[in-house]
Amino acid sequence: MSIVFESDAIKADPSVAATHVLLIGCGEYPSLAAAGYGSLPPLTSPPVSVTAVADWFLTGADAMPTGQEKEPSEAFCNEDAPLGSVVMLASPVGTYAAPFGTSVEIARPSITNIKAAYVAWLDRLNLNPESRGVFYFCGHGISDGETQYLVADDFGEDGADIWNSVFQLTMTVQATLRKAKASLFYFIDACMELSEEIINQLEDPKALIGGSRRGALTTTDWAIIRATTANRLAYAPDGGVAHFTQALLSALRGHCGVEHPSGNGYSVDVTRLRAAISEFLEFAQADQKADRQKIGKTEGDGNWTVPMHVLSKRPSVMLELDVTPPGFRPVAQAFMEDAGLVRDTKPLATGPVRFVKEHGEWTYGTNSTEPASFPEQVFNRKLLTNAAVRRLIKVN
């Protein structure tokens, strides 16, 4: 287990309310081909994606030296459950350079290491019902058409039972709900592609931990947010952050939230976060015509109002504007205007433009630098509370 951060508060008293994070990025998969599963190649995105998520958690005030922290619109913040620990497993195995200057050797996400890290994560979460647990996985995932299975990095190395390195996600969570007390957030950036091999196994892969179907749940506020829908792939640029993870981080960076019950700040909960991820996932595939990745089914219980992250300022909307027909772009410009009639204008000569503004009521539209070409198109006092909005304005 590779602990990349543990707060002083947790070291002094492990039972204080805190956010405990377990990050897993499986990319190498050195034994897939030898096991006869060459259709599941090594992945270049998981180590990059898991590092990006770790950086977001660790560049806030809880982990960084005073004066070097990023604002809540750029990094993790939750005064009710400050960052308590971050554990990372990633392959290829290497060193993680933490934003606060420490380098940590990262353990491989083998099934044994994943199980050990999961049990330790659960033990921390059992100590306080006001804590938050964040589980993030990026790597190979498969499906029997309904259930998602996640593939550890050492798949294929146990010749007697290669499926020993695959675990069933939903049953893992169900077992956890009868042991943990904290609120739980699972983010799964993995495919759900149908696998005939998994269907034909005599015995299904098991959960990471054992448990009974009987007994009252000790956790009643939890959710799993998946990167893709049943029988579909999740995508990533070669060597870059995966589309779902990028959408997740974009959403967390100040683009969703609702006023905190205390009146101080804005809560980022599952309800707002899922909608924002979906919107940014659409933006990432603007030019993609076929097999567009859509956010998967979200499992969970509770009101989904427990804040995972808290912003200090009102969330922002990213508004993209363009004109059609595109032949008008060389003379067109887009604008946004607030209630005080202060207008922000950007030329459209090189294509669509984006504005980032606080949630609220805005006037937007387009006009021409050559007034005779087309009249100004104005959309007055539109309430913008989405994370990301695209508008294509038709001009004559």
Side-chain angles (χ1 to χ4, degrees), residues 275-344:
I277 294 170
S278 180
E279 290 163 13
F280 277 110
L281 197 55
E282 282 293 307
F283 264 79
Q285 304 169 95
D287 299 324
Q288 189 169 322
K289 303 300 181 184
D291 199 22
R292 294 172 66 87
Q293 180 180 341
K294 295 182 181 295
I295 194 169
K297 173 184 175 183
T298 299
E299 295 178 46
D301 287 319
N303 295 329
W304 289 354
T305 57
V306 174
M308 189 197 99
H309 172 52
V310 180
L311 299 172
S312 58
K313 299 177 182 178
R314 183 183 296 183
S316 298
V317 58
M318 182 176 74
L319 175 65
E320 181 181 279
L321 296 177
D322 196 8
V323 294
T324 186
F328 282 108
R329 283 177 179 166
V331 296
Q333 52 190 11
F335 61 83
M336 284 189 75
E337 186 175 279
D338 62 19
L341 304 181
V342 177
R343 179 172 286 194
D344 184 5

Side-chain angles (χ1 to χ4, degrees), residues 56 70-75 252-255 309-313:
W56 181 81
K70 291 185 177 180
E71 295 182 354
S73 60
E74 290 293 330
L252 288 168
R253 289 182 174 128
H255 283 282
H309 172 52
V310 180
L311 299 172
S312 58
K313 299 177 182 178

Side-chain angles (χ1 to χ4, degrees), residues 123-160:
D123 286 344
R124 289 176 183 251
L125 293 173
N126 280 340
L127 298 177
N128 194 312
E130 299 303 317
S131 286
R132 317 281 197 269
V134 178
F135 178 94
Y136 168 87
F137 179 94
C138 186
H140 276 307
I142 53 177
S143 169
D144 61 7
E146 181 179 359
T147 301
Q148 187 175 33
Y149 301 86
L150 302 180
V151 185
D153 193 65
D154 57 339
F155 179 87
E157 293 180 13
D158 182 351

Side-chain angles (χ1 to χ4, degrees), residues 253-266:
R253 289 182 174 128
H255 283 282
C256 63
V258 64
E259 188 172 6
H260 192 276
S262 68
N264 297 318
Y266 296 83

Side-chain angles (χ1 to χ4, degrees), residues 128-379:
N128 194 312
E130 299 303 317
S131 286
R132 317 281 197 269
V134 178
F135 178 94
Y136 168 87
F137 179 94
C138 186
H140 276 307
I142 53 177
S143 169
D144 61 7
E146 181 179 359
T147 301
Q148 187 175 33
Y149 301 86
L150 302 180
V151 185
D153 193 65
D154 57 339
F155 179 87
E157 293 180 13
D158 182 351
D161 182 10
I162 62 172
W163 295 96
N164 183 50
S165 293
V166 177
F167 63 95
Q168 216 260 38
L169 176 63
T170 297
M171 288 299 101
T172 295
V173 176
Q174 287 298 318
T176 303
L177 300 182
R178 291 161 173 82
K179 297 182 178 181
K181 299 177 181 178
S183 299
L184 303 174
F185 303 81
Y186 291 81
F187 300 101
I188 309 301
D189 198 342
C191 297
M192 284 193 68
E193 188 176 24
L194 182 66
S195 168
E196 292 187 7
E197 289 88 353
I198 198 72
I199 294 172
N200 292 326
Q201 293 305 304
L202 291 174
E203 182 176 310
D204 290 341
K206 297 179 180 179
L208 287 176
I209 57 173
S212 172
R213 298 177 188 272
R214 302 179 63 184
L217 303 184
T218 55
T219 296
T220 56
D221 208 299
W222 63 278
I224 305 172
I225 302 181
R226 291 183 169 89
T228 191
T229 51
N231 300 342
R232 304 297 290 275
L233 298 173
Y235 294 100
D238 188 31
V241 176
H243 290 328
F244 172 82
T245 299
Q246 187 61 63
L248 167 64
L249 292 172
S250 295
L252 288 168
R253 289 182 174 128
H255 283 282
C256 63
V258 64
E259 188 172 6
H260 192 276
S262 68
N264 297 318
Y266 296 83
S267 301
V268 179
D269 56 32
V270 169
T271 301
R272 279 80 190 176
L273 194 52
R274 187 193 187 282
I277 294 170
S278 180
E279 290 163 13
F280 277 110
L281 197 55
E282 282 293 307
F283 264 79
Q285 304 169 95
D287 299 324
Q288 189 169 322
K289 303 300 181 184
D291 199 22
R292 294 172 66 87
Q293 180 180 341
K294 295 182 181 295
I295 194 169
K297 173 184 175 183
T298 299
E299 295 178 46
D301 287 319
N303 295 329
W304 289 354
T305 57
V306 174
M308 189 197 99
H309 172 52
V310 180
L311 299 172
S312 58
K313 299 177 182 178
R314 183 183 296 183
S316 298
V317 58
M318 182 176 74
L319 175 65
E320 181 181 279
L321 296 177
D322 196 8
V323 294
T324 186
F328 282 108
R329 283 177 179 166
V331 296
Q333 52 190 11
F335 61 83
M336 284 189 75
E337 186 175 279
D338 62 19
L341 304 181
V342 177
R343 179 172 286 194
D344 184 5
T345 302
K346 296 183 180 182
L348 288 164
T350 59
V353 295
R354 292 178 178 178
F355 299 85
V356 177
K357 304 290 185 181
E358 280 190 347
H359 283 188
E361 201 171 73
W362 291 90
T363 293
Y364 61 85
T366 183
N367 56 31
S368 175
T369 56
E370 298 178 2
S373 60
F374 65 85
E376 184 170 87
Q377 306 288 314
V378 181
F379 298 82

